[in-house]
Amino acid sequence: MKKIIITGILCLLVVAYIFAQAKKQPLAQASIKRGQKVFESTCIVCHQKNGGGVPRLNPPLIKTKYVLGDKSQLVQIVLKGLNQPIEIEGETYNNVMPSFAQLTDEQIADVLTYVRNSFGNKASAVTPALVKAERAKTQ
Ligand code: HEC
């Protein structure tokens, strides 16, 4: 009897987990789709369609520590821009990236979720709530 109850509980947990995952996926997919549009209208001129950037001018967005790393720092880069020498795969970049604080919290979350899941990148989604919290820090 005890075994049956434990097995029953385990089954329920597995089912609940599968449902939670299934619910999460389409949300991220929708965000990635919207993010692609933001990328194409806002970031593509410098970082290029394939995220490869432009040698010595605009860094690539492919598996860099900024793209895959700390999400708060990544959000800050979009909110404030970046103007300091950075090194990516032995190449130094020191051009200016302007601020994109004019984008909405959702647009920034979407574009970063798109970038973190494109060009060979695979990482968790960025939420509008995180962008909102990071924006509050800059004001
Ligand atoms: C006008 C050109 C330009 C545009 C537009 C632009 N960037 Fe950048 N971006 C740069 C430059 C230049 C750097 C490096 C800045 C430095 O060296 O201080 C950079 C750096 C970055 C970095 C950190 C370094 C790396 O490659 O991982 C990320 C992430 C990034 N940009 C994302 C974006 C996103 C997302 C957008 C669109 C919302 C965007 N950028 C729009 C020029 C641009």
Side-chain angles (χ1 to χ4, degrees):
M1 188 59 191
K2 217 170 158 192
K3 249 188 183 163
I4 293 177
I5 292 175
I6 291 174
T7 313
I9 290 173
L10 281 178
C11 282
L12 277 179
L13 283 178
V14 168
V15 169
Y17 178 78
I18 291 171
F19 267 100
Q21 290 300 315
K23 230 179 133 184
K24 221 164 75 188
Q25 264 327 91
L27 277 182
Q29 286 306 329
S31 175
I32 288 170
K33 234 174 143 182
R34 290 191 303 266
Q36 182 174 8
K37 294 220 171 76
V38 180
F39 185 84
E40 285 170 357
S41 60
T42 316
C43 323
I44 207 167
V45 283
C46 295
H47 292 288
Q48 304 299 297
K49 190 172 173 56
N50 64 0
V54 178
R56 284 179 299 282
L57 283 178
N58 307 316
L61 300 176
I62 303 170
K63 297 184 182 166
T64 72
K65 62 178 179 190
Y66 302 94
V67 169
L68 297 180
D70 182 47
K71 289 196 259 188
S72 299
Q73 186 192 20
L74 184 59
V75 170
Q76 288 294 338
I77 290 176
V78 176
L79 284 173
K80 293 203 288 215
L82 200 62
N83 186 12
Q84 63 187 51
I86 58 170
E87 202 189 302
I88 291 173
E89 288 193 13
E91 181 97 59
T92 306
Y93 297 87
N94 197 12
N95 210 353
V96 176
M97 170 163 154
S99 152
F100 289 96
Q102 74 275 18
L103 296 175
T104 66
D105 293 346
E106 187 174 57
Q107 284 174 319
I108 292 177
D110 288 343
V111 76
L112 290 177
T113 300
Y114 168 73
V115 166
R116 280 164 64 86
N117 290 283
S118 304
F119 326 131
N121 300 325
K122 189 105 202 73
S124 60
V126 172
T127 62
L130 176 69
V131 179
K132 191 172 182 213
E134 289 304 319
R135 200 190 288 272
K137 285 187 202 165
T138 66
Q139 281 154 3

